[in-house]
Amino acid sequence: MAFKTLLLDNQDGITTITFNRPAKRNAMSPRLHLEMTAALDEVRYDTNTRVVVITGAGESFCAGMDLKEYFADLKEKPEEFARVGRLATEWRGRTLRYFPKPTIAMVNGYCFGGAFSIVEGCDLAIAAEEATFGLSEVNFKGFPGGPVSKSLANLLRPRDALWYGLLGRPFNGKTAAEIGFVNLAVPLATLHEETMVVARELASKDPNALRAAKDAYRFSLEMSWEASIDYAFAKEQELIVRQKDAFRNEGIGDFLKGKYKPGLESHGGSNQGA
Ligand code: COA
């Protein structure tokens, strides 16, 4: 599919998807939702993609839903409104969340409303300190709809979710890190470089181990203790098959031979630590 609203780039196994509507501050139009659905499908099965980074072109990460092309233009077209709403909810709320490869939101600027679900749907998030976040819906007499309220419930402390959801006040990247909405905030000038350090570290690890780590965490959130333990045992068997037992033979085996210390470094690579 030829994309008009996205740019896709792959460097050393890291695919960067860039929202490319800078003149509209990368607001999510119906076309962007269609293209994100297709792009995520493409990179999901792309053997050259080990990690996905999502960011925005220009001064904005994403200004949320396109208020004109979605809410205004589709006002008299309820079927189309529902169709686009479903697509928009699926790729952020489901596809990204359960994506089989690690995902990082690289928040370079404005991040409003519906964009919160992109950040929350990604496994990790790194923001520019200068970025501006906001649950602006209440400012236009709306509320965090679609998957956004669930994103807030998933990730934020109740006081923060209601503070920002009710007041609609903007906050910067540093605050986003302090309240745990992103992992860390760095100066905009080093955002790309710092994000790539993390992406390369992920890309150097066993993709099957990363997938199991994601699945075990995300699905456990929704399971009883018994089901979660059973799932983890089943996942371990799956991992053994997928990796041809690499975690026991090479990972644990080389530790037992004294070749490396997994507490301090990665098999065949290194951990940055913190
Ligand atoms: N939907 C549709 N269009 C949007 C948009 C959105 N969410 N956000 C920005 N745009 C458009 C503007 O209408 C404008 O279009 P135009 O040039 O054709 O008039 C263009 O992007 C630039 O916006 P502008 O407001 O001039 O830029 P700015 O840099 O001064 O301000 C924002 C940027 C993001 C702070 C401001 O546009 C804004 O508040 N947008 C709404 C954000 C929002 O509430 N999003 C939540 C949606 S769920």
Side-chain angles (χ1 to χ4, degrees):
M1 182 173 184
F3 298 121
K4 282 193 178 162
T5 66
L6 305 175
L7 296 170
L8 263 66
D9 170 70
N10 182 289
Q11 304 272 337
D12 305 324
I14 300 159
T15 293
T16 301
I17 302 178
T18 305
F19 300 128
N20 193 29
R21 302 184 73 215
K24 298 289 180 187
R25 305 300 181 261
N26 302 320
M28 295 180 282
S29 61
R31 183 173 181 111
L32 186 142
H33 291 303
L34 262 179
E35 292 191 358
M36 270 310 279
T37 303
L40 288 173
D41 194 65
E42 198 173 299
V43 295
R44 181 185 195 105
Y45 300 109
D46 173 26
T47 49
N48 287 323
T49 300
R50 294 169 74 96
V51 178
V52 178
V53 173
I54 298 180
T55 192
E59 68 197 74
S60 181
F61 171 69
C62 172
M65 285 297 257
D66 190 309
L67 300 177
K68 177 182 181 297
E69 291 193 32
Y70 179 62
F71 287 104
D73 293 356
L74 300 184
K75 202 171 144 195
E76 309 299 335
K77 299 177 182 166
E79 284 77 19
E80 190 57 11
F81 184 75
R83 194 178 75 90
V84 174
R86 188 180 62 80
L87 266 185
T89 299
E90 290 275 327
W91 78 257
R92 288 171 296 161
R94 185 172 279 147
T95 311
L96 257 188
R97 183 181 318 286
Y98 302 111
F99 206 71
K101 302 171 182 186
T103 53
I104 307 175
M106 181 168 82
V107 186
N108 53 302
Y110 292 129
C111 177
F112 291 112
F116 273 56
S117 285
I118 305 169
V119 177
E120 188 263 334
C122 286
D123 302 317
L124 305 179
I126 305 176
E129 290 170 352
E130 300 92 327
T132 303
F133 292 77
L135 289 164
S136 52
E137 294 93 332
V138 72
N139 295 338
F140 58 77
K141 300 180 187 291
F143 77 103
V148 182
S149 281
K150 183 64 176 163
S151 293
L152 305 180
N154 280 344
L155 208 52
L156 294 185
R157 293 177 303 196
R159 290 288 179 214
D160 291 322
L162 289 168
W163 180 267
Y164 291 109
L166 294 176
L167 290 170
R169 285 188 193 174
F171 56 96
N172 64 23
K174 277 188 183 173
T175 302
E178 279 161 21
I179 66 175
F181 188 57
V182 300
N183 293 94
L184 68 150
V186 298
L188 178 61
T190 61
L191 177 66
H192 183 264
E193 187 188 323
E194 302 246 14
T195 306
M196 288 304 141
V197 167
V198 177
R200 281 194 293 270
E201 190 175 338
L202 287 168
S204 75
K205 295 190 188 293
D206 185 292
N208 290 305
L210 292 172
R211 182 175 177 170
K214 279 190 66 164
D215 287 351
Y217 170 73
R218 296 222 181 259
F219 289 111
S220 289
L221 284 172
E222 296 149 17
M223 290 178 186
S224 67
W225 190 86
E226 288 79 4
S228 152
I229 299 307
D230 198 54
Y231 179 77
F233 274 112
K235 236 10 207 179
E236 198 170 283
Q237 296 307 309
E238 183 194 24
L239 186 61
I240 288 168
V241 172
R242 279 184 185 276
Q243 293 179 324
K244 301 186 175 57
D245 220 354
F247 96 86
R248 287 190 297 199
N249 292 339
E250 297 160 28
I252 294 172
D254 284 348
F255 167 61
L256 297 178
K257 286 177 195 150
K259 289 189 178 175
Y260 79 115
K261 295 185 191 300
L264 305 176
E265 59 195 318
S266 194
H267 190 270
S270 67
N271 272 345
Q272 296 293 315

